[in-house]
Amino acid sequence: MTINNEIQKKDNYVDNVESVESVDAIDSKNIQLREICAAGEGWMAEVKKGQTLRIIDSEGNQAVDTLFISCADIAERYSATDTLAQNQKLFLEMGSQLFTNKGRVIATITEDTCGRHDTLGGACSCESNTVRYAHDTYPMHSCRNNFMHTLATHPIAQKHGLTLRNIGPNINFFMNVPITPDGSLAFDDGISAPGKYVDITAQMDMIVLISNCPQLNNPCNGYNPTPIELVIYE
């Protein structure tokens, strides 16, 4: 997949010490999948009920835009509004339950070494970049581009018949989007660090769609998008 030329794609990515330690704590016999998602790329996998997805911020300060969709009913997906209402919190943290648009729990955050995660800022797009920054940012790669490309090409998306209709509000793991005194959203420097991770345990069989955010116009990625590591374990 072609990404913005300003993003340094790290094909020769080597585990750093913090990332290795994040995985070493998991019994290797229980690991079902372990993959690297390069800077600015999309990723998709199925996570069965009871399995846990660990997202590792390998180099720190990297936003990870994430969607959750039910395998049994692709019309059922993660809902930011239901999740905020049920948890009575603006940010997600350890113990937060993630609710669907049908009011059911699709997953739970069971471990979290970062502290909090955003579910208000949404996913960057070519269109939102022009509104927030400048018209000449339109050709720059975006999370919505990643979502659309992955849905159009990934075998899991084809297996379940996923289309653009399955894109909805997302979670931005590791992203810092505080609320300003006037009620606006701010896209601030991240609060994560190398090797920080979040565990999401599936409460139903689910599809996970990720955009490893390529944004270069605000500090959510430290103006330098980096790889993340994905581990699915029992």
Side-chain angles (χ1 to χ4, degrees):
M1 178 177 179
T2 302
I3 60 176
N4 189 281
N5 291 332
E6 295 178 72
I7 297 175
Q8 182 178 8
K9 183 177 178 182
K10 303 185 179 179
D11 290 320
N12 297 320
Y13 173 79
V14 177
D15 286 333
N16 59 33
V17 173
E18 293 87 354
S19 184
V20 169
E21 290 176 346
S22 298
V23 178
D24 281 351
I26 304 172
D27 188 331
S28 60
K29 296 191 297 294
N30 296 329
I31 293 178
Q32 308 299 308
L33 179 72
R34 182 183 180 187
E35 294 182 348
I36 299 296
C37 181
E41 293 285 359
W43 183 87
M44 179 179 276
E46 291 179 331
V47 182
K48 302 300 182 183
K49 181 178 180 180
Q51 290 182 335
T52 297
L53 169 67
R54 175 166 292 186
I55 305 175
I56 304 171
D57 189 2
S58 301
E59 298 186 29
N61 207 20
Q62 174 62 39
V64 183
D65 294 43
T66 308
L67 294 167
F68 300 101
I69 302 166
S70 167
C71 287
D73 177 7
I74 61 171
E76 183 172 12
R77 63 192 180 206
Y78 170 77
S79 167
T81 52
D82 287 274
T83 297
L84 291 171
Q86 293 293 337
N87 286 281
Q88 294 291 295
K89 291 180 180 179
L90 285 176
F91 303 104
L92 304 178
E93 56 191 19
M94 190 166 73
S96 294
Q97 292 182 305
L98 311 181
F99 285 81
T100 71
N101 54 334
K102 295 191 176 182
R104 300 198 302 157
V105 178
I106 192 168
T108 303
I109 297 178
T110 48
E111 289 288 342
D112 179 19
T113 62
C114 177
R116 74 179 195 190
H117 309 271
D118 166 66
T119 191
L120 296 172
C124 60
S125 67
C126 296
E127 293 77 14
S128 66
N129 282 342
T130 63
V131 172
R132 289 171 175 163
Y133 309 111
H135 284 289
D136 60 6
T137 64
Y138 185 86
M140 297 178 73
H141 195 55
S142 70
C143 286
R144 186 167 178 84
N145 287 120
N146 273 339
F147 287 154
M148 292 191 294
H149 182 271
T150 307
L151 287 170
T153 60
H154 201 284
I156 291 176
Q158 296 167 4
K159 169 186 171 183
H160 290 278
L162 299 176
T163 68
L164 297 182
R165 294 172 64 89
N166 299 107
I167 298 177
N170 61 281
I171 298 174
N172 296 306
F173 287 110
F174 309 115
M175 189 168 167
N176 185 25
V177 185
I179 308 299
T180 64
D182 66 356
S184 302
L185 299 179
F187 294 89
D188 280 2
D189 194 16
I191 58 174
S192 187
K196 296 290 186 182
Y197 65 85
V198 59
D199 278 1
I200 304 103
T201 300
Q203 305 300 322
M204 63 177 73
D205 291 353
M206 65 181 186
I207 304 154
V208 181
L209 173 57
I210 281 176
S211 167
N212 192 21
C213 184
Q215 182 60 255
L216 294 168
N217 298 292
N218 70 51
C220 70
N221 300 320
Y223 301 102
N224 177 39
T226 53
I228 57 171
E229 187 165 1
L230 294 310
V231 181
I232 298 174
Y233 68 95
E234 299 284 354

